[in-house]
Amino acid sequence: MSFRLNDRQQEAVQATEGPVLVIAGAGSGKTRVLTERIAYLVQEKGIHPYNILAFTFTNRAAREMRERLEQSSPGISERLWVGTFHATGVKILRSHGREIGVSDRFTIYDADDSLDLIKDILSRQGLHGQLIRSPRAIRDQISRWKNDLMTPDLVASGVTDNLKKRIVSVYREYERALARANALDFDDLIARVVELFSVHSQAKDHFARRFQYVLVDEFQDTNPIQMALIDALASYHKNLFVVGDDDQSIYSWRGAKVDHILNFEDLYSGTRVVRLEQNYRSTQMILDAANHVIAHNKGRKGKNLWTDGDRGEKVGLIVSMDEETEAMNMLNTVNTLVTDGHQLRDIAVLYRTNAQSRALEDVLKLGGLPYQIIGAVRFYERMEVRDILAYCKLLVNPADNISLKRILNVPRRALGKTTYENLSVMAGKNNVSIMEILKTGVSGLGTAQIKRCAEFVKLFTDLEGVAAREEAPAVIQAVLDETKYRDYLRDGFPDSDSRVENVDELVTAAEIFTETSEDRSLRAFLEEIALVADIDTWDEVQGQLTLMTLHNAKGLEFDCVIIAGVEEGLVPHYNSLDKQEDLEEERRLFYVGMTRARKRLFLSYANMRRRMGIIEGGSPSRFLYEVPEECLDGSIASDENLLFAETDSDGTAGRPMRFFEGRPRAATQKREFEDYSQEEVYYTVGMRVIHNDFGKGVVRRVEGAGENLRVTVIFDGGGERKFLAHYAPMRPMN
């Protein structure tokens, strides 16, 4: 062994036969266990890397695993399959997809491509504005159906209402359009493999026999279709090794089922269970706080993280008046941490929703502090980058009508929307792609349009020649040169310099890819970037503060972590307050955020926050009250005890200070209560109240006046309700 393992890790590594479930707490060294197990199989058990398959949930994790393996066993990763479910699906479909009608030259539609296709279908079917659901919601619904292996016919058989019937018709046409375009969306990369294995036993047997050992990381986040794939691949040798933490299952909204890990022993008889509870990341103070919070969940296997490292400092508590003050307080905290010797790259601010980053960004810009946001507009989603990638996708797959639509008139060549629609109608009538119509000669258009179409075909044909003989960087450079795309940016956009830099960076990205890849083709490069996730863009080397959502922070760690907006309605989120299982997932998400911290953890909340232009009162999250008082540096403040950032004489943020500010009286109403003398009652945003039926809560919104005064309350027991204050059996708490 190249690493010293503790007893439980050693047990997990050497339990090679049959099903094994490793309950790996946060920071307990699960990546080390996975890599050491692979090395053990190869070096000690004599298993060829060709016969090992390891699933990871991000490209970043796959990269890290390969690098660790190469350090201990040079050359081991060359024949080993290590990658995400989607990347593995691509490999299988490239080699065996023809058996279910999937060409080995398929292209991959990302989420934006799928959305564009949905919009195109809605427009052609005349359904824009007729459906209650947005194109994005329809795309998400189709994704859920695919992940449940529900074809349009299967869905249609159980549909009765007209709205669902229309959505099913969109789904049916969506599938036809993908087939015409020789494209697969992200869900297809797994669903079509499961389909392949279900109808062609030879393909399933080939891979099930090949992979003698199947390893799965982050098992708690698998969805049913991924589980079906895992089960098929492990069906022959039955050596299934899964590593996960039920306390970190946070993706139910993507279809993940925490039941997969909770019920693993029932699904696979003879399962050996190993618990990894020794933490190598966080201080005991942070672990104590996190352990107490997660212990409130009922749906868990149970464990208690511990460390033989430092006890550490208490969890910091930041209490602010509103989101602007919270941002200033967090900047103040970051500056203090840097003064104390921490590097910016070792500090992260985590939040529940992307919208929370706005106030913090404003303050960081004013303070001149460098930062990076993970999960904002990604490099490959920028307009100019997507334009060039659309050219590249069309070169690889001329049947890709969505890519053609994007670049037919980019740069402008007077082939606009009307021309595209006419070409689309012609292609539909002949059941061919638009590119085939263009190449075989266009009729039915004006003379000028026909000439411009011919010029576009000439350009495209020349670029096809480049793509056939050159590697990815040269092809991208040719697209930029032949289309004069840089001139197009310089002539039409005020921020042209940064846009030109972006397309130049795309060439650089292709060059880096070809330096490390055996397949240097444009197709291989497009496949690589199609599978890039948000977290793969994180740069831990740059000296920048990191901002990201709690979901995106999964799998990362920092010396210092600040969790913003730890309030009812944010953490836990409004949408999770009515169902126990949703509330428990929110608690798991909070637990994930807490356990990202190695040395210092800060929890922040504001007493007021603007939402959709309205100032709403906030109350500390119920999760804060689950943190033991002995772990907190300070106490959860009352409504009047707010924390502001003190400004030093030089204008920079100093250390926090306590500040008293009375709340404005937003509205009043006379009320008569059974045990409450008739008097003037003030309802204000943030006020604590008690209701005869629903118990204690906090006023979130106050609207109207007199007998029309309406008060919206978030109750401690879960749920949000609106009352006419004049009639509600409710009173302020003393």
Side-chain angles (χ1 to χ4, degrees):
M1 297 283 176
S2 57
F3 292 101
R4 181 180 177 274
L5 303 175
N6 65 39
D7 291 344
R8 296 286 75 77
Q9 290 174 331
Q10 189 88 20
E11 179 185 354
V13 166
Q14 296 182 353
T16 58
E17 306 308 305
V20 180
L21 169 63
V22 178
I23 305 296
S28 62
K30 67 180 179 63
T31 303
R32 175 182 294 184
V33 166
L34 281 164
T35 53
E36 286 296 317
R37 178 182 173 84
I38 294 172
Y40 181 81
L41 287 171
V42 174
Q43 296 170 0
E44 303 296 330
K45 302 288 289 185
I47 305 301
H48 196 284
Y50 177 84
N51 300 119
I52 300 173
L53 169 65
F55 284 114
T56 64
F57 261 77
T58 64
N59 296 310
R60 179 187 184 84
R63 235 177 6 251
E64 180 181 348
M65 192 176 294
R66 286 197 194 95
E67 289 170 357
R68 290 193 183 193
L69 284 168
E70 283 298 315
Q71 289 174 4
S72 62
S73 305
I76 190 175
S77 65
E78 292 180 6
R79 301 295 304 280
L80 178 74
W81 273 26
V82 178
T84 63
F85 285 93
H86 294 97
T88 302
V90 169
K91 288 183 179 180
I92 294 173
L93 290 171
R94 291 283 186 218
S95 61
H96 287 73
R98 291 185 299 277
E99 297 172 28
I100 54 170
V102 176
S103 166
D104 61 356
R105 295 178 62 81
F106 67 82
T107 53
I108 302 169
Y109 274 13
D110 62 19
D112 288 328
D113 294 327
S114 296
L115 186 61
D116 288 343
L117 181 55
I118 295 289
K119 291 176 180 177
D120 200 42
I121 292 169
L122 291 174
S123 178
R124 283 191 278 112
Q125 292 189 354
L127 294 176
H128 257 315
Q130 293 189 26
L131 295 179
I132 297 173
R133 300 189 186 180
S134 67
R136 193 178 301 276
I138 293 172
R139 182 199 65 187
D140 293 344
Q141 176 62 72
I142 290 173
S143 176
R144 286 192 290 272
W145 281 332
K146 287 194 174 191
N147 279 285
D148 289 336
L149 290 176
M150 297 288 289
T151 64
D153 288 341
L154 284 174
V155 176
S157 65
V159 168
T160 55
D161 66 275
N162 289 330
L163 173 61
K164 271 267 180 80
K165 286 181 180 179
R166 289 182 176 182
I167 296 175
V168 172
S169 73
V170 174
Y171 181 19
R172 198 182 302 279
E173 179 53 33
Y174 176 79
E175 292 292 271
R176 291 176 184 145
L178 283 175
R180 286 195 298 269
N182 190 24
L184 300 178
D185 64 19
F186 257 44
D187 298 310
D188 288 329
L189 299 181
I190 304 174
R192 299 305 296 271
V193 177
V194 173
E195 177 191 345
L196 168 69
F197 288 169
S198 67
V199 299
H200 283 273
S201 58
Q202 297 96 327
K204 174 188 170 183
D205 290 345
H206 168 77
F207 288 103
R209 287 174 180 270
R210 169 182 170 177
F211 295 124
Q212 189 173 346
Y213 292 89
V214 178
L215 300 85
V216 185
D217 192 10
E218 304 288 4
F219 183 69
Q220 76 281 348
D221 291 325
T222 52
N223 62 29
I225 199 166
Q226 291 166 339
M227 193 65 207
L229 179 59
I230 292 167
D231 197 55
L233 291 169
S235 61
Y236 186 79
H237 296 285
K238 303 187 184 305
N239 294 323
L240 177 58
F241 180 88
V242 303
V243 182
D245 182 3
D246 49 304
D247 289 333
Q248 296 188 70
S249 179
I250 58 174
Y251 292 115
S252 67
W253 49 277
R254 290 199 315 211
K257 302 289 186 183
V258 68
D259 290 345
H260 291 164
I261 192 168
L262 294 178
N263 301 330
F264 187 85
E265 295 154 90
D266 298 327
L267 295 171
Y268 298 94
S269 61
T271 295
R272 183 170 181 175
V273 180
V274 181
R275 278 180 165 79
L276 304 182
E277 296 179 303
Q278 184 174 358
N279 179 281
Y280 294 92
R281 176 189 300 158
S282 306
T283 65
Q284 190 62 55
M285 187 70 72
I286 292 171
L287 295 179
D288 286 348
N291 284 335
H292 276 82
V293 169
I294 201 62
H296 285 77
N297 272 4
K298 296 178 180 178
R300 62 190 297 257
K301 283 188 169 291
K303 63 180 174 305
N304 195 59
L305 296 182
W306 61 276
T307 180
D308 58 7
D310 295 338
R311 177 71 183 161
E313 299 185 53
K314 290 185 176 183
V315 176
L317 190 63
I318 304 174
V319 187
S320 307
M321 181 181 69
D322 54 24
E323 69 267 34
E324 310 296 334
T325 312
E326 181 186 48
M328 184 62 73
N329 283 330
M330 286 191 288
L331 173 63
N332 178 30
T333 301
V334 170
N335 283 333
T336 300
L337 289 170
V338 172
T339 300
D340 291 344
H342 295 283
Q343 300 293 317
L344 270 182
R345 69 185 181 207
D346 295 326
I347 306 172
V349 177
L350 312 180
Y351 35 78
R352 179 63 177 82
T353 66
N354 278 307
Q356 289 174 254
S357 71
R358 192 275 311 162
L360 185 56
E361 282 191 83
D362 289 347
V363 169
L364 290 173
K365 288 174 182 175
L366 288 173
L369 211 63
Y371 64 92
Q372 59 176 330
I373 298 182
I374 305 302
V377 178
R378 295 184 291 167
F379 175 77
Y380 293 110
E381 292 175 350
R382 290 168 179 151
M383 181 212 81
E384 58 275 13
V385 175
R386 291 191 68 83
D387 284 348
I388 302 305
L389 289 178
Y391 271 101
C392 294
K393 290 177 182 179
L394 195 62
L395 288 170
V396 167
N397 178 18
D400 186 350
N401 289 342
I402 293 299
S403 292
L404 186 142
K405 180 181 181 180
R406 183 179 186 96
I407 54 88
L408 184 63
N409 198 40
V410 175
R412 297 178 185 87
R413 49 179 69 93
L415 294 174
K417 181 180 178 181
T418 301
T419 302
Y420 173 81
E421 290 174 349
N422 289 333
L423 292 169
S424 182
V425 170
M426 294 179 210
K429 287 180 179 179
N430 292 278
N431 197 29
V432 296
S433 70
I434 294 176
M435 183 57 72
E436 287 184 71
I437 292 292
L438 286 168
K439 285 188 172 182
T440 55
V442 177
S443 60
L445 298 179
T447 304
Q449 296 301 95
I450 291 174
K451 180 181 178 182
R452 294 187 189 106
C453 285
E455 291 170 349
F456 175 77
V457 170
K458 171 67 166 57
L459 169 69
F460 183 76
T461 303
D462 290 345
L463 289 172
E464 278 187 311
V466 177
R469 62 179 183 270
E470 299 288 350
E471 296 177 354
V475 181
I476 297 172
Q477 189 64 61
V479 170
L480 291 168
D481 293 342
E482 296 301 316
T483 62
K484 297 182 173 56
Y485 190 81
R486 291 186 183 88
D487 292 339
Y488 161 70
L489 292 176
R490 293 188 182 103
D491 292 342
F493 297 90
D495 57 346
S496 60
D497 287 347
S498 63
R499 291 178 184 268
V500 170
E501 287 175 0
N502 286 335
V503 295
D504 289 342
E505 181 62 26
L506 181 62
V507 179
T508 301
E511 289 172 345
I512 294 172
F513 169 78
T514 57
E515 290 172 0
T516 57
S517 176
E518 291 182 10
D519 186 349
R520 302 177 179 182
S521 67
L522 182 63
R523 178 187 300 279
F525 175 64
L526 292 175
E527 186 175 293
E528 172 82 6
I529 63 176
L531 299 174
V532 171
D534 283 345
I535 194 59
D536 296 318
T537 67
W538 178 53
D539 185 350
E540 60 184 321
V541 177
Q542 291 189 15
Q544 298 177 322
L545 176 69
T546 298
L547 279 58
M548 68 175 80
T549 65
L550 287 160
H551 282 99
N552 276 328
K554 178 78 179 299
L556 301 180
E557 58 185 74
F558 302 86
D559 278 356
C560 309
V561 168
I562 305 170
I563 303 180
V566 188
E567 305 151 25
E568 290 292 301
L570 280 176
V571 183
H573 196 272
Y574 292 119
N575 296 340
S576 68
L577 297 179
D578 293 330
K579 292 183 179 179
Q580 182 65 27
E581 57 267 32
D582 293 343
L583 186 61
E584 292 206 353
E585 178 154 330
E586 289 291 305
R587 186 178 281 109
R588 292 195 294 267
L589 183 61
F590 183 53
Y591 173 82
V592 165
M594 296 176 78
T595 54
R596 298 310 94 195
R598 290 189 285 251
K599 299 178 180 178
R600 297 299 312 275
L601 173 63
F602 298 85
L603 306 176
S604 172
Y605 73 89
N607 284 287
M608 292 185 290
R609 194 173 294 272
R610 290 173 181 81
R611 186 168 181 259
M612 298 179 67
I614 299 173
I615 297 178
E616 299 176 349
S619 62
S621 168
R622 69 194 69 193
F623 301 156
L624 278 178
Y625 293 101
E626 296 168 0
V627 177
E629 287 186 12
E630 59 268 22
C631 293
L632 284 175
D633 184 10
S635 59
I636 302 173
S638 68
D639 285 344
E640 310 296 348
N641 194 19
L642 307 181
L643 183 66
F644 285 76
E646 182 179 17
T647 302
D648 290 339
S649 57
D650 62 355
T652 60
R655 292 186 177 272
M657 63 177 289
R658 292 286 174 183
F659 193 87
F660 174 86
E661 168 127 353
R663 288 184 175 278
R665 292 183 171 181
T668 64
Q669 175 60 38
K670 230 174 190 182
R671 279 290 295 121
E672 183 174 349
F673 253 82
E674 189 175 357
D675 60 342
Y676 196 58
S677 60
Q678 186 169 336
E679 62 180 80
E680 194 114 8
V681 177
Y682 294 95
Y683 287 107
T684 65
V685 170
M687 173 185 284
R688 295 284 293 172
V689 296
I690 186 168
H691 190 283
N692 282 3
D693 298 324
F694 302 106
K696 298 176 183 178
V698 64
V699 175
R700 172 176 169 248
R701 184 180 299 176
V702 178
E703 305 167 282
E707 292 193 5
N708 293 321
L709 179 69
R710 295 183 301 279
V711 180
T712 303
V713 179
I714 301 175
F715 288 98
D716 295 353
E720 174 182 310
R721 294 182 181 273
K722 181 180 288 189
F723 306 99
L724 279 172
H726 185 73
Y727 302 101
M730 179 174 67
R731 66 182 184 274
M733 293 177 62
N734 294 328

